[in-house]
Amino acid sequence: LVNSVWGFLSEDSTSIVVNNNRIRDMKEDGIELKSSTSSSISGNSIRSCDNDAINLFDSSNVTIKDNTLANNDWGIYSNDVISVVVSNNTIRDMKEDGVQLKSAVLSSIIGNSIINCEGGVLLEGGLDTKIVNNTVNGNDGGGIIITASDEILIAGNMLDSNNGPGISLCVEMQEFHFNFEGAYGPGGANNELIDNVITASINAAQIHIGEGCVATVLKGN
């Protein structure tokens, strides 16, 4: 699928399977699902789209795995999602974040490689979500940034040479980076950082815990 507006667009759908496609040079998103449930996006190659490689909105029980995403604006972008699993994707050279989840509940970001993007992983307004065993290297806006989120497990991640904090927890997004506008309000409680390996963060702390965060557990980092 080459040189159109969207590669694949679906609204109000159930049990959609988008597997093993090659998508490039789209004016909008490579793959976009709106109000989708019980769907799968896997094994796709998505390159050089002017917006998101993969975009989810108002969706639940969606798996995004084993995709190769390169040279798009965002890698994986989602808003208002429940039970989304982002796993084993290779994401590199994004103009914005490799993975950005807003208002994500009961979701997981597991085993991804996120390299040389504007930002690594950004979670805003998350609840009971896991960020586990990812490799996050060489990103310009920090490695894993969590804001206004509660009950987040960040464990077993490898972060190296990110320009900004390796891992940052903050209640308001403005606290971390001037490019991030707005915030989701109260949050920053009962988060855990366990067994992460963080090296060579540039111009920032390896781990940053911002004002207003409460009941944060740091163990074995």
Side-chain angles (χ1 to χ4, degrees), residues 129-145:
T129 287
K130 298 176 174 61
I131 303 173
V132 176
N133 295 339
N134 300 282
T135 298
V136 185
N137 294 343
N139 300 287
D140 194 49
I144 297 173
I145 310 300

Side-chain angles (χ1 to χ4, degrees), residues 93-105:
D93 301 322
M94 299 297 156
K95 297 180 182 68
E96 301 292 342
D97 299 313
V99 177
Q100 184 175 143
L101 271 59
K102 295 183 177 182
S103 299
V105 179

